Every structure is written in C-alpha cells, then in structure tokens.
Amino acid sequence: QVRLVESGGGLVQPGGSLRLSCAASGIIFSINTMGWYRQAPGKERELVADITSGGTTNYADSVKGRFTISRDNAKNAVTLQMNSLKPEHTAVYYCNANIRRRLARYAEPYWGQGTQVTVSS
C-alpha cells in the first residue's frame, strides 16, 4: 500500500518560516510529479507548487519568491520551504504525488493526510 506521510506544520508568526516534508512509502515503481496543495477554510483546494522527477518546478503566483519546493528522488520525498509567511498562508497543506505502483500500468494520484499551517501573531 502506498502512503504519503507529511510533517512540519505548525504555528508561526508573520514573517516566519516553516518547512514541510513529505515522504512516499510502499511498493513504488516510479513517481512523476510531486507537489503541495493547500485548502483554507471556506475555499477550494489549490496548487501551491509542484516539481517533476526531472526537477522542473511550478509555483502559484501568490508564493513565487517566498516558497521553494525541492525533491529527493532517492528518498521519494518532497519538501516545501516557506519563508516570509503571512496570515493569508494559513491553511491545511496537502502533499500530492502521481505514483505508479509496482506492476501497475499507470500512475495515479495519492494524497497525504494534510498538515495545518497557521500564521498568526
């Protein structure tokens, strides 16, 4: 069974930093894109950033220059470094990965359980 396990959320003051980590486990053949989404109260889930297996990154306009996504393919892990955080960044952050399980024909999306990020003084 494939799982995504996240860590690193919490409470931080405005202007502070947090680092979110996510690791995939299970019998995995390959992982394509890995990324982070967030969902604030009363809002739709939205893409924050993603990264391909080759290292190409994509960011939401609202986080460009503040957040950095990186990936360790050997560890099936993805990290989101969040700097200069603002209250509007408060949300539940979800790890996402397109994973092809061993013996499967296609990749399919998997989600982590979500980790709360709260930016408040």
Side-chain angles (χ1 to χ4, degrees):
Q1 183 176 352
V2 172
R3 295 178 61 206
L4 294 178
V5 179
E6 302 149 343
S7 61
L11 173 65
V12 64
Q13 293 186 343
S17 298
L18 278 176
R19 186 178 180 90
L20 304 182
S21 298
C22 172
S25 63
I27 303 176
I28 295 169
F29 178 77
S30 64
I31 303 179
N32 301 328
T33 301
M34 301 186 79
W36 291 92
Y37 287 70
R38 66 186 176 194
Q39 187 166 19
K43 294 188 176 181
E44 297 287 323
R45 189 174 297 189
E46 62 178 1
L47 174 69
V48 177
D50 61 26
I51 183 169
T52 68
S53 57
T56 300
T57 57
N58 175 47
Y59 294 93
D61 288 342
S62 61
V63 305
K64 286 180 180 177
R66 295 179 183 272
F67 293 6
T68 302
I69 191 169
S70 59
R71 177 170 174 167
D72 185 335
N73 290 330
K75 297 181 178 179
N76 291 333
V78 63
T79 298
L80 185 70
Q81 177 66 43
M82 304 185 293
N83 297 328
S84 302
L85 285 161
K86 297 180 175 182
E88 52 261 43
H89 295 137
T90 295
V92 178
Y93 284 70
Y94 296 90
C95 178
N96 169 268
N98 285 306
I99 298 174
R100 181 178 174 187
R101 292 177 291 116
R102 190 175 170 186
L103 301 181
R105 294 184 64 185
Y106 306 105
E108 54 187 311
Y110 287 84
W111 293 90
Q113 77 280 6
T115 184
Q116 178 70 47
V117 170
T118 301
V119 185
S120 175
S121 56

